């Protein structure tokens, strides 16, 4: 069911990619990677620049497509979709050459420092990105930016749940990017299954837990690594010391963006029983401030993506034993569900036990923060998002007790609003992260490289057969360190320890320290001689 259009912008009908084309597309991308051209950093920069111009040129089309798919307002589409992707693209362009450069490791032992050890950033290979419908530009384009930046050819499979935007994404990639390296495959379950039957070097999936299990199981057959961006039954905690008007405003904002169809929004708000009535009163006042004529009449409030998800949420509302204290209106023909809060008295309620992924949430009162934390951990021990409103000690306790993909103090989910901060889940809310440099890293392999000069062979003689006991002892002296703790695990303090650590070069004994100093002097002598010989040779050549 498509939503009403508001502009005279034509978007082609959604068409599935022919199944017999998918193996050819996968083979082409593997071949492109073998050709080495995507490894060139200048090539990657050109592709990202073209992607930037494509996003800019197609902005109006994307705004229209998201209006059709989700009734998303132009304001949201610019701010949280196209504008976000443009910002991510520009940030990556500014930093890519630095990210891609070889990296010097820290704290390399002296005897290995002459090997020129470095970490080389290598692209993984041809990758598959499977997107989702709720933010159909942001959550498809941003992983693609990471793949391009890392030097990986990529196939993008947008969600069929946002068909109009999937069509424009296909236009973006085909018109602006290298067709040998980047392709959009549109379709349904058969097309996704066909893609999963191909060999990829990484699969990046955004969506739900059930599909993530299918993808992970399929990827395991070929030992293909996966990044999973999922969701969770995200908790928010409201203390009696919270600023209630500010808390209500920020939580309601988080639940009305994209009609609550966002993986980070609160599923259950745990409220101190002492301020429960005040919180509900302030929340209702905030609702009227956001929607003076009601949410249905607001040009800013989106709609549920389709009837399947509408029915799922309506069932949660129908089965609850709680009391609706805000909203509650629904219209299946319009795919409209008002922002709705339900006061419940049990964690077993239908409003608590299922992730709503929409504009409905539960309010669960608590008598102590400890009891609320215990309940929240039972509901979902590893949510994607965590929100806490209270005094510093209370917020610190929430952060220290709960595990989550990310967390926001005194706000809904601003931890997910910073373009260059890693975003990802933990446990059942996902694995891996992306955004900014994390996007580059998720499609890269950190490859350790060393380069052993010929003159070092004498220093490395301990590794050659026949083995020598004296050389082994020297090696052990050279590689051993004096610990800064005793046998009881207590730290050793005092000036004597630190003097020995410095002047003994960390050796556990006088012999060890002497050997290390001899090694330092010998290495320096050889390095200086090598430099002098090279300088004389160059002088003779001149």
């Amino acid at each position: 069911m498509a939503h009403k259009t508001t502009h005279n912008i034509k978007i082609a009908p959604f068409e599935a990619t022919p199944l017999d084309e998918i193996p050819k597309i996968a083979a082409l991308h593997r071949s492109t990677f073998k050709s080495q051209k995507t490894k060139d950093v200048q090539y990657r920069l050109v592709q990202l620049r073209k992607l930037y111009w494509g996003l800019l040129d197609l902005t109006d089309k994307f705004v229209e497509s998201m209006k059709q798919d989700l009734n998303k307002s132009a304001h949201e589409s610019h701010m949280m979709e196209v504008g976000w992707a443009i910002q991510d693209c520009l940030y990556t362009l500014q930093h890519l050459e630095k990210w891609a450069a070889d990296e010097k490791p820290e704290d390399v032992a002296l005897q290995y420092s002459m090997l020129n050890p470095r970490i080389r950033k290598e692209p993984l290979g041809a990758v598959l990105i499977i997107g989702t419908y709720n933010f159909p530009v942001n959550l498809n384009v941003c992983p693609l930016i990471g793949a391009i930046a890392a030097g990986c050819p990529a196939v993008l499979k947008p969600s069929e749940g946002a068909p109009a935007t999937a069509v424009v994404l296909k236009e973006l990639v085909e018109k602006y990017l290298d067709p040998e390296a980047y392709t959009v495959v549109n379709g349904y379950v058969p097309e996704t299954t066909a893609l999963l039957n191909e060999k990829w070097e990484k699969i990046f999936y955004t969506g739900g837990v059930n599909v993530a299990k299918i993808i992970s199981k399929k990827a395991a057959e070929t030992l293909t690594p996966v990044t999973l961006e999922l969701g969770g039954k995200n908790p928010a905690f409201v203390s009696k010391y919270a600023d209630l008007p500010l808390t209500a405003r920020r939580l309601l904002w988080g639940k009305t963006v994209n009609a609550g169809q966002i993986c980070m929004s609160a599923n259950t708000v745990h409220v101190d029983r002492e301020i429960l009535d005040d919180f509900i009163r302030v929340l209702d006042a905030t609702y009227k401030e956001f929607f003076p004529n009601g949410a249905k009449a607001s040009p800013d409030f989106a709609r549920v993506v389709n009837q399947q998800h509408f029915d799922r949420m309506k069932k949660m509302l129908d089965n609850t034993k709680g009391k609706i204290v805000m909203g509650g209106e629904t219209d299946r023909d319009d795919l409209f569900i008002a922002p709705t809060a339900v006061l419940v008295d049990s964690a077993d309620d239908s409003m608590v036990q299922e992730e709503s992924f929409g504009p409905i949430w539960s309010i669960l009162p608590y008598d102590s923060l400890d009891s609320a934390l215990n309940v929240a951990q039972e509901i979902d021990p590893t949510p994607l998002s965590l929100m806490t409103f209270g005094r510093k000690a209370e917020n610190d306790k929430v952060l220290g007790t709960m595990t989550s993909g990310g967390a926001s103090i005194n706000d809904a989910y601003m931890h997910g609003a910073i373009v260059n901060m890693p975003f990802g889940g933990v446990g059942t809310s996902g694995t891996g992260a992306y955004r900014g440099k994390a996007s580059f890293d998720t499609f890269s392999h950190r490859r350790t490289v060393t380069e052993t000069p010929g003159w070092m062979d004498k220093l490395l003689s301990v590794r050659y057969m026949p083995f020598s006991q004296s050389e082994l002892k020297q090696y052990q002296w050279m590689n051993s360190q004096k610990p800064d703790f005793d046998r009881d695990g207590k730290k050793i303090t005092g000036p004597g320890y630190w003097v020995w650590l410095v002047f003994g070069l960390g050796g556990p004994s006088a012999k060890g320290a002497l050997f290390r100093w001899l090694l330092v002097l010998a290495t320096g002598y050889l390095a200086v001689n090598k430099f002098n010989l090279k300088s004389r040779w160059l002088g003779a050549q001149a």
Side-chain angles (χ1 to χ4, degrees):
M1 175 181 177
H3 297 281
K4 295 179 181 178
T5 59
T6 57
H7 305 93
N8 294 320
I9 296 175
K10 301 294 184 183
I11 296 177
F14 180 85
E15 293 182 356
T17 302
L19 287 172
D20 59 358
E21 289 296 314
I22 290 176
K24 300 174 186 176
I25 292 169
L28 172 63
H29 285 58
R30 289 192 293 266
S31 175
T32 298
F33 182 70
K34 288 180 181 178
S35 75
Q36 307 291 310
K37 76 173 179 177
T38 62
K39 289 186 176 183
D40 180 64
V41 174
Q42 294 306 313
Y43 168 89
R44 306 181 209 176
L45 290 169
V46 168
Q47 295 303 307
L48 289 170
R49 291 170 190 146
K50 289 182 175 181
L51 181 65
Y52 164 83
W53 287 113
L55 288 166
L56 212 62
D57 293 346
L58 295 175
T59 292
D60 288 343
K61 260 194 173 180
F62 276 124
V63 169
E64 173 61 20
S65 71
M66 287 181 282
K67 182 69 176 177
Q68 291 185 24
D69 289 334
L70 292 149
N71 195 41
K72 189 171 289 197
S73 70
H75 184 96
E76 274 192 23
S77 294
H78 281 289
M79 181 179 174
M80 306 186 76
E81 294 273 13
V82 185
W84 181 287
I86 287 173
Q87 185 184 6
D88 194 14
C89 190
L90 289 174
Y91 181 82
T92 302
L93 280 164
Q94 292 166 4
H95 295 86
L96 177 56
E97 289 181 291
K98 179 177 68 175
W99 295 344
D102 286 358
E103 181 182 319
K104 284 289 185 182
E106 297 180 0
D107 300 324
V108 174
L110 178 65
Q111 62 270 28
Y112 298 122
S113 62
M114 300 300 176
L115 303 180
N116 189 22
R118 55 198 184 272
I119 299 169
R120 184 181 175 95
K121 286 60 167 291
E122 294 281 351
L124 292 174
V127 301
L128 172 63
I129 300 168
I130 304 175
T132 188
Y133 68 83
N134 58 323
F135 285 88
V137 174
N138 184 333
L139 301 185
N140 282 284
V141 173
C142 291
L144 178 62
I145 289 171
I148 296 171
C152 296
V155 170
L156 176 62
K157 168 59 178 67
S159 171
E160 63 274 23
T165 307
V167 170
V168 185
L169 285 169
K170 187 174 179 68
E171 181 181 352
L172 171 72
V173 171
E174 290 182 348
K175 188 174 179 181
Y176 291 88
L177 299 183
D178 182 355
E180 293 184 347
Y182 311 104
T183 305
V184 169
V185 169
N186 278 328
Y188 304 90
V189 173
E191 289 73 25
T192 304
T193 302
L195 285 168
L196 292 174
N197 285 333
E198 297 297 323
K199 170 58 181 168
W200 307 98
E201 299 311 315
K202 184 70 175 279
I203 298 175
F204 189 107
Y205 169 71
T206 305
V209 171
N210 292 334
V211 176
K213 291 178 180 178
I214 296 171
I215 290 172
S216 298
K217 184 176 180 179
K218 188 67 179 176
E221 294 177 2
T222 52
L223 297 179
T224 300
V226 296
T227 293
L228 303 174
E229 295 299 335
L230 311 177
K233 296 188 278 289
N234 308 314
F237 298 88
V238 180
S239 154
K240 62 184 177 182
Y241 301 108
D243 181 332
L244 291 187
L246 192 64
T247 299
R249 184 176 183 83
R250 291 178 174 177
L251 282 175
L252 189 58
W253 163 76
K255 207 59 179 172
T256 53
V257 170
N258 199 34
Q261 295 165 113
I262 181 166
C263 53
M264 295 182 290
S265 66
N267 206 67
T268 298
V269 184
H270 301 261
V271 180
D272 190 309
R273 198 180 298 275
E274 285 188 34
I275 48 98
L276 177 63
D277 292 339
D278 289 337
F279 176 74
I280 292 173
R281 175 179 52 79
V282 172
L283 186 64
D284 189 59
T286 306
Y287 179 89
K288 291 173 182 175
E289 180 186 343
F290 279 21
F291 308 108
N293 298 314
K296 192 172 186 180
S298 171
D300 302 324
F301 189 67
R303 295 295 186 266
V304 178
V305 67
N306 55 39
Q307 290 180 342
Q308 177 186 351
H309 285 279
F310 177 95
D311 292 341
R312 177 183 56 78
M313 282 183 272
K314 184 66 164 61
K315 184 178 179 182
M316 291 174 66
L317 289 171
D318 291 341
N319 291 340
T320 183
K321 295 178 182 178
K323 176 185 176 183
I324 293 176
V325 294
M326 183 191 75
E329 302 87 359
T330 64
D331 184 343
R332 191 173 191 268
D333 292 335
D334 189 30
L335 296 176
F336 168 77
I337 297 180
T340 299
V342 181
L343 177 62
V344 301
D345 60 5
S346 170
D348 295 326
D349 195 273
S350 62
M351 288 294 299
V352 178
Q353 286 299 311
E354 184 178 347
E355 180 186 3
S356 67
F357 204 73
I360 64 174
W361 55 355
S362 58
I363 297 174
L364 184 60
Y366 67 81
D367 295 306
S368 72
L369 184 56
D370 285 333
S371 65
L373 288 167
N374 287 335
V375 169
Q377 288 179 311
E378 288 293 324
I379 294 169
D380 188 342
T382 56
L384 180 64
S385 184
L386 174 67
M387 293 139 274
T388 176
F389 301 80
R391 288 181 171 176
K392 184 179 186 303
E394 295 170 316
N395 294 333
D396 288 345
K397 187 170 190 176
V398 171
L399 288 179
T401 303
M402 293 291 300
T403 298
S404 67
S408 288
I409 298 173
N410 294 328
D411 215 326
Y413 38 73
M414 288 304 289
H415 64 274
I418 305 174
V419 72
N420 59 337
M421 293 288 285
F423 174 76
V426 60
T428 56
S429 61
T431 179
Y434 72 118
R435 302 267 178 88
K437 186 176 182 294
S439 295
F440 172 85
D441 291 339
T442 203
F443 291 105
S444 298
H445 167 60
R446 293 171 61 83
R447 182 183 184 187
T448 296
V449 178
T450 60
E451 187 176 354
T452 309
W455 59 266
M456 280 193 69
D457 213 47
K458 186 64 178 175
L459 297 176
L460 300 172
S461 60
V462 67
R463 65 185 180 174
Y464 296 125
M465 297 180 183
F467 293 139
S468 164
Q469 188 67 23
S470 62
E471 287 182 341
L472 177 61
K473 288 182 178 180
Q474 289 177 347
Y475 175 81
Q476 289 171 334
W477 285 337
M478 182 174 63
N479 284 278
S480 61
Q481 291 185 357
K482 189 176 182 65
D484 63 349
F485 52 87
D486 62 21
R487 290 182 177 274
D488 294 323
K490 296 178 181 178
K491 290 274 286 188
I492 299 173
T493 58
Y497 168 78
W498 293 107
V499 168
W500 173 255
L501 187 69
V502 173
F503 291 100
L505 295 180
S509 65
K511 287 184 178 180
L514 177 63
F515 181 78
R516 288 176 183 222
W517 276 111
L518 290 173
L519 177 64
V520 169
L521 294 172
T523 303
Y525 176 78
L526 290 171
V528 169
N529 274 353
K530 183 182 178 184
F531 175 79
N532 289 337
L533 286 172
K534 186 175 182 180
S535 298
R536 291 172 189 170
W537 183 83
L538 289 173
Q541 293 296 313

